[in-house]
Amino acid sequence: MNIYNDLHSIIIQIANKLGLKDRYILDKITSEPPKEKSYGDISTNLALIGSKILNKTPHNLADEIIKELLKLKIVSKALVAGPGFINLHLEDKVWHECCKYALDKKSDYGKNELGKNKKVNIEFVSANPTGPMHIGHARGAVYGDSLANILCFSGYEVTREYYINDSGEQVNNLARSVYKRYLEILTNKKLDFENDLYPGEYLIPIAKKIIKKYDNKFSDKSEPVWIDRFKRISINHIMDYIKKDLSNLGIKHDIFISEKSLISSNSIDKVVNILRNKNLIYEGELEPPKGKKINNWEIRKQLLFKSSHFGDDVDRPLTKSDGSWTYFASDAAYHYEKCNRKFSTLINIWGADHGGYVKRIRGVVQAVSESQIDFDVKLCQLVNIVKDGKPVKMSKREGNFISLKSVVDTVGPDVLRFIMLTRKNDASLDFDIKKVTESSNENPVYYVQYAHARIKSLHKKASIEGIKDIDFVNDPNFSLLKNTSEINLMKLVATWPRVIELAAKSHEPHRITYFLTDIASEFHYLWTLGNSREELRYIIPKDKELTIARLSLAETVRTVISSGLQLIGVKPLEVLK
RNA sequence: GCGCUCGUAGCUCAACUGGAUAGAGUGUCUGACUACGGAUCAGAAGGUUGGGGGUUCGAAUCCUCUCGGGCGCGCCA
């Protein structure tokens, strides 16, 4: 039950009746709660959209529409306002019905069928297997996982996927770094880690493991002898680190796809052939970028993808100078492979530093899927770590990464997850270590949790007064609740399905945290009213019917908060310490 | 040099994707607790949405120019 959708379809019917049939026009009609509460419950721009086509003034057209709307039993008032908006006020019983429905559905309240029979793939995290996760990875991880939850709730069949970049120079350097540690331990001497190597101490246990198994077998051997073995062992070990980090955040991927396996299964050749057949690949030369100093740029022929056909500024190379594939080539193969798995939507969660990469991959997806697959890339801005009011620079060289584990260990996964969703993905986010670890009341998550815990404590109190849980669903008489704040609370409960839909459609999980803060705020307000006005308290021992109605309302609020928190991966608390 | 992206209250950010008088938190000031949990609530103050131009009934949102920050621009991934 989504009252906003119900009314919107009625409004579209009226539009049809008036002679508006064009799909393009109909799509421009909106029905939404106005920002200003006093305007009413739902506002539509139908008269503004239709006036030109029907050759009427917006106000005249609005009068006709209002006549139709007033025929509906649930509409108490319909007024034209401003340039031609129509504002609808609904009967209170509408909200009563919504709340009864919510009570009945419990934790299923808010589900919808947007994604019925649709498969969606969300690729997120995909941190390189060269070290444990640091705090900067957390945002994409939380964002992707929460979005996956929301899409599940909206009826999609969701696959959570992790792409392991286990091929190329980067993982060679990983193996070389482990080898250094291996020699260090065997010779008991400190070695120098050159620029491209990983100096982190987390590689020492891996080296020890190798020594335990092979002793000094590789200490005097040349690189080709040991590198593949070192690589395999190191990657496996580090992926275990990463999986542990993810699991501490409550995240579990369904599928881990290996770049290396794509290369060995010839997927790259396949996608290159397909693109070649579509005339999107050619041998050509690339100019060096202007205004940027590049040493040793030599113009040479290479295999290029015509990404400029898809809005990219230049065509992009598929091969390196030594003839091996670029990262783009294997990523093209990866996306080709995803397209073959019959998803209707592919979502990629990337760091903002990959922004320049979007167009070429979109080009590949469009080309191989004949534009049949929705493709959305969400770029998460980097997280600025702030300590004592100053930004902390993290660098691989200095090894001063703040590990995800250390933050989760101090603040817990719930606080971290909530904070990461208090910004929309494309805005940068300041993560103040001090604020988050030391003064917990600065965290908005506690504000919401507090509302949840208060409602839980109402249950306990009520059962002392002889009102058991079972009474909540026993057809509460919501018409006893007439205070503005009570009605507002019901309206917020009624809005919940709409919030989910919007979050799912726009791929914006942060809407959930904002909504939860709103509904918690209204709840706290009503609670405090009870301080000065005893008749507005939730529990009125002399009036059982009223108490049940009010507690039932509180229970719908709790239901919404509880499922909202769970959607973003936060555990609702029954008690705040 | 080119491309992408962001710019909103002192600070950190929202704004239902083109809607009406741009909203929260925090900070500052002033108030409300013998309470169903004060980790709460109320009030005050704070704005030319970086700037100019354009599109239309209507712009923080779209187009254009401009200023400023971030990211990226073959042989890292």
Side-chain angles (χ1 to χ4, degrees), chain A residues 13 17-18 71 118 131 152 186 217 227 233 261 281 289 304 334 350 439 441 452 463 479 481 498 505 521-522 543 546:
Chain A
Q13 279 171 32
K17 208 167 158 185
L18 290 169
K71 289 179 189 165
K118 285 184 185 163
C152 272
L186 288 174
K217 186 176 168 186
I227 190 156
I233 294 171
S261 73
I281 283 185
L304 297 173
Y334 172 46
W350 289 350
S439 56
N441 60 343
H452 187 269
S463 72
S479 60
L481 308 179
R498 186 169 186 273
K505 279 183 186 164
S521 168
E522 192 65 46
D543 192 339
L546 177 60

Side-chain angles (χ1 to χ4, degrees), chain A residues 406-532:
Chain A
S406 68
V407 178
V408 173
D409 284 350
T410 47
V411 305
D414 288 349
V415 169
L416 179 61
R417 290 192 65 130
F418 200 98
I419 298 280
M420 286 295 166
L421 292 177
T422 53
R423 306 282 113 97
K424 63 179 179 224
N425 60 292
D426 51 6
S428 65
L429 184 154
D430 285 356
F431 191 87
D432 192 321
I433 301 275
K434 203 168 187 178
K435 265 189 187 173
V436 173
T437 51
E438 287 179 6
S439 56
S440 60
N441 60 343
E442 293 239 11
N443 293 324
V445 59
Y446 286 102
Y447 183 81
V448 175
Q449 292 280 26
Y450 187 39
H452 187 269
R454 272 182 155 175
I455 296 170
K456 272 291 177 186
S457 92
L458 278 179
H459 291 320
K460 279 176 220 147
K461 181 78 180 177
S463 72
I464 292 168
E465 302 283 343
I467 298 163
K468 297 282 189 288
D469 288 359
I470 190 80
D471 292 334
F472 296 147
V473 288
N474 196 10
D475 200 20
N477 186 357
F478 283 124
S479 60
L480 297 173
L481 308 179
K482 296 187 186 308
N483 185 274
T484 312
S485 176
E486 291 171 323
I487 304 286
N488 285 343
L489 212 43
M490 291 183 209
K491 289 179 181 177
L492 283 168
V493 171
T495 309
W496 176 235
R498 186 169 186 273
V499 173
I500 304 271
E501 273 196 26
L502 289 172
K505 279 183 186 164
S506 57
H507 301 164
E508 288 177 347
H510 75 278
R511 289 168 184 277
I512 305 287
T513 57
Y514 278 87
F515 177 78
L516 290 177
T517 306
D518 280 351
I519 196 169
S521 168
E522 192 65 46
F523 173 80
H524 286 311
Y525 173 70
L526 178 56
W527 179 290
T528 309
L529 280 184
N531 281 345
S532 49

Side-chain angles (χ1 to χ4, degrees), chain A residues 124-175:
Chain A
F124 65 112
V125 187
S126 298
N128 294 328
T130 54
M133 290 176 70
H134 58 76
I135 183 66
H137 292 122
R139 191 174 188 182
V142 171
Y143 178 93
D145 189 56
S146 303
L147 178 57
N149 290 340
I150 290 164
L151 293 178
C152 272
F153 209 60
S154 298
Y156 287 90
E157 188 186 328
V158 179
T159 300
R160 292 159 214 248
E161 193 153 313
Y162 189 119
Y163 182 51
I164 308 173
N165 301 126
D166 54 359
S167 173
E169 205 45 27
Q170 183 173 259
V171 281
N172 287 337
N173 285 330
L174 172 72

Side-chain angles (χ1 to χ4, degrees), chain A residues 101-113:
Chain A
Y101 182 80
L103 268 184
D104 185 47
K105 288 288 174 186
K106 298 199 173 72
S107 59
D108 280 343
Y109 178 57
K111 281 191 177 173
N112 64 69
E113 300 199 322

